[in-house]
Amino acid sequence: MCEKIAAGILGTGSYVPEKVLTNFDLEKMVDTSDEWITTRTGIKERRIADPSQATSDLATEAAKKALEDAKVDPSEIDMIIVATVTPDMNFPSTACIVQANLGAANAAAFDISVGCSGFIYGLAIAQQFVETGMYNKILVIGAETLSKIINWKDRNTCVLFGDGAGAVVVGRVESGYGILSSYLGADGTGGKHLYMPAGGSRMPASEETVKKNLHTIFMEGQEVFKFAVKVMDSATIEALNRCGLKPEDIDMLIPHQANTRIIEAARKRLKLSNDKVYINLDKYGNTSAASVAIALDEAYRKGLIKKGDVILTVAFGAGLTWASSVIRWSK
């Protein structure tokens, strides 16, 4: 009888732009304060891409680091998945641009648009291809340049978001390790709470859409907050149930980095100590699909994750969507 193929993470990488935008900088731009932002979100600063940088540029740098960490040549990559809501353009996909940048000539490539849940969705997709034996090595990248679609006059949204990219190489790992379970979900009725109105087929670009700032993020913060607190808990428990584990088995929680109050609520419900939850949103803000990927790479490179540890990732995002996964670390 053939042993089931296990899919796990072979290497990680991340990249953030050099420019730092602090809360004190924002005080000069809109009616806000460092105290207000910090108290309500936990964010102190965020990174902003240079005008010359596109999402594919950030994604490429993160991918290079993940490939180096995994000791994998670009020619070995069978597929590239880029999770983003800020693609370079509608087509070709950002993944195809990254493929060209890396010289990964043997890879299939496509984007997914799932908001902040995108990276974990990408992990689940890669898991299926590896476990079935169809592909051996897959690059999963979460990358965003949200600064390009922010209304810098809207104090409710401009303080929240930042730019960055994170990547992993997914491939075969030894039995008992790797991605143990994944849980993906969506509630399209909530799409109206977090969206960008213009730029698609519903509302093509026009002089009017530009004047009205309709190519920027619109968000009903309270609705998204309520959804997030609820779904972070349920998605976490569901992912654990699917692989027969319990909250006390978690060695490290890597949550979507959106708001410290949301993360703290999840930590308390799971009864986890502070050292079992990785938080970096104070430095980067909400980087959407890049959020979990950047945090995972940082936690690993800081030595906070070791072989055999149970890692739980969980996120919520536009759609509205949610995703979670349980990983037994194999590196």
Side-chain angles (χ1 to χ4, degrees), residues 156-168:
N156 293 316
T157 57
C158 74
V159 303
L160 302 176
F161 300 101
D163 301 336
V168 297

Side-chain angles (χ1 to χ4, degrees), residues 138-178:
I138 299 175
L139 254 177
V140 180
I141 307 167
E144 303 285 8
T145 50
L146 294 165
S147 62
K148 313 270 188 178
I149 61 167
I150 286 173
N151 178 355
W152 290 102
K153 295 180 180 179
D154 178 6
R155 67 174 185 170
N156 293 316
T157 57
C158 74
V159 303
L160 302 176
F161 300 101
D163 301 336
V168 297
V169 178
V170 175
R172 297 185 180 196
V173 298
E174 58 186 298
S175 180
Y177 290 85

Side-chain angles (χ1 to χ4, degrees), residues 47-275:
R47 299 299 181 95
I48 304 296
D50 186 86
S52 65
Q53 287 181 308
T55 296
S56 65
D57 298 318
L58 278 58
T60 299
E61 293 304 312
K64 287 178 179 177
K65 292 180 180 180
L67 289 168
E68 180 182 7
D69 184 47
K71 296 179 174 58
V72 170
D73 189 84
S75 64
E76 299 177 66
I77 295 297
D78 300 305
M79 176 177 284
I80 299 171
I81 304 169
V82 174
T84 186
V85 295
T86 52
D88 286 24
M89 57 195 81
N90 283 338
F91 59 90
S93 70
T94 301
C96 280
I97 298 171
V98 172
Q99 183 218 39
N101 291 345
L102 296 174
N106 299 313
F110 61 91
D111 292 355
I112 56 173
S113 178
V114 204
C116 307
S117 306
F119 175 71
I120 303 176
Y121 261 72
L123 271 184
I125 295 168
Q127 175 191 0
Q128 312 312 308
F129 279 104
V130 172
E131 287 184 351
T132 60
M134 185 172 180
Y135 289 130
N136 293 316
K137 293 181 177 69
I138 299 175
L139 254 177
V140 180
I141 307 167
E144 303 285 8
T145 50
L146 294 165
S147 62
K148 313 270 188 178
I149 61 167
I150 286 173
N151 178 355
W152 290 102
K153 295 180 180 179
D154 178 6
R155 67 174 185 170
N156 293 316
T157 57
C158 74
V159 303
L160 302 176
F161 300 101
D163 301 336
V168 297
V169 178
V170 175
R172 297 185 180 196
V173 298
E174 58 186 298
S175 180
Y177 290 85
I179 302 168
L180 304 182
S181 68
S182 297
Y183 173 51
L184 313 177
D187 177 8
T189 64
K192 61 189 176 183
H193 300 313
L194 179 55
Y195 66 109
M196 187 175 77
S201 61
R202 177 69 63 189
M203 193 181 296
S206 67
E207 184 179 352
E208 182 181 9
T209 63
V210 174
K211 282 183 177 179
K212 292 183 177 180
N213 281 317
L214 298 181
H215 297 267
T216 60
I217 297 170
F218 282 71
M219 183 173 74
E220 293 182 41
Q222 282 301 314
E223 292 299 323
V224 174
F225 184 90
K226 287 188 290 184
F227 165 78
V229 170
K230 178 182 176 182
V231 82
M232 287 275 278
D233 184 43
S234 59
T236 297
I237 296 301
E238 178 62 25
L240 289 168
N241 288 341
R242 290 187 176 197
C243 60
L245 296 180
K246 298 178 180 179
E248 52 264 37
D249 297 316
I250 298 171
D251 293 299
M252 183 63 69
L253 173 66
I254 309 282
H256 171 44
Q257 308 289 313
N259 187 299
T260 50
R261 291 186 295 165
I262 295 171
I263 295 173
E264 181 62 9
R267 184 191 70 79
K268 287 181 177 179
R269 283 195 179 90
L270 294 168
K271 297 180 180 179
L272 296 176
S273 57
N274 286 321
D275 63 339

